[in-house]
Amino acid sequence: MHVTLTNLLNEMINQGASDLHLSADMGPRMRIEGTLYEIDAAPLDRPTLWTWLESELTEGQIETYERSGDIDFGMQAPSGDRFRVSLFRERGLDTLAVRRLSSEIPTMQELAHRNEAVETAPETINKDPYGNGWIAD
């Protein structure tokens, strides 16, 4: 595979990967269903990594990274998929951790479990709010 940042992000999407790990002088890796897999691609050199980064970061972000050694920012792939990116130095190497963000916003029903028992005994909410009177978790 010809390695570009866009190709790696697209591969992430196609494989259903949650994370992409890039480090100068190491091959790219993706996390799929909790397992980290190496991608069949040559290790990245620092100039290639920085060519990608300079197209995504502002001058201010680059200055912040050079000063502090880490920065977080967001990216969007041509497909519209969004990513949260952490750029940091690890053992002297520039390293990227890219997390794919879900484009679907979960409903309250998907986020919380409702206590149906309080519907038939609503007084439980006040009598035992930290026990049987919980509303949602």
Side-chain angles (χ1 to χ4, degrees), residues 15-19 21 30-37 99:
Q15 295 294 326
S18 60
D19 301 284
H21 300 274
M30 284 185 198
R31 185 174 311 281
I32 302 170
E33 294 183 5
T35 302
L36 205 55
Y37 295 94
R99 166 66 53 106

Side-chain angles (χ1 to χ4, degrees), residues 68-131:
S68 68
D70 65 70
I71 190 168
D72 296 323
F73 60 98
M75 290 178 57
Q76 188 166 357
S79 65
D81 289 87
R82 297 176 309 124
F83 303 87
R84 183 181 67 230
V85 183
S86 293
L87 170 62
F88 54 95
R89 271 189 213 104
E90 184 174 66
R91 290 179 251 147
L93 296 176
D94 298 318
T95 303
L96 280 176
V98 181
R99 166 66 53 106
R100 183 174 175 209
L101 303 174
S102 176
S103 59
E104 296 177 16
I105 300 171
T107 65
M108 285 303 294
Q109 290 78 17
E110 293 168 327
L111 291 174
H113 175 74
R114 195 173 88 226
N115 183 358
E116 294 175 6
V118 299
E119 291 178 15
T120 56
E123 67 279 0
T124 311
I125 295 170
N126 292 327
K127 289 181 180 175
D128 191 15
Y130 300 106

Side-chain angles (χ1 to χ4, degrees), residues 2 7 11 29 38 41-42 48 56 70 76 97 103 112 122-123 135:
H2 175 66
N7 286 353
E11 187 65 16
R29 285 170 256 131
E38 286 194 34
T48 299
E56 296 294 332
D70 65 70
Q76 188 166 357
S103 59
E123 67 279 0
I135 298 171

Side-chain angles (χ1 to χ4, degrees), residues 22-78:
L22 300 170
S23 188
D25 300 327
M26 294 183 69
R29 285 170 256 131
M30 284 185 198
R31 185 174 311 281
I32 302 170
E33 294 183 5
T35 302
L36 205 55
Y37 295 94
E38 286 194 34
I39 298 169
D40 185 23
L44 302 171
D45 58 19
R46 190 171 194 274
T48 299
L49 187 62
W50 273 98
T51 297
W52 297 347
L53 290 171
E54 287 170 348
S55 70
E56 296 294 332
L57 298 173
T58 66
E59 285 183 32
Q61 289 172 314
I62 292 170
E63 288 170 11
T64 298
Y65 177 70
E66 289 172 349
R67 187 175 55 254
S68 68
D70 65 70
I71 190 168
D72 296 323
F73 60 98
M75 290 178 57
Q76 188 166 357

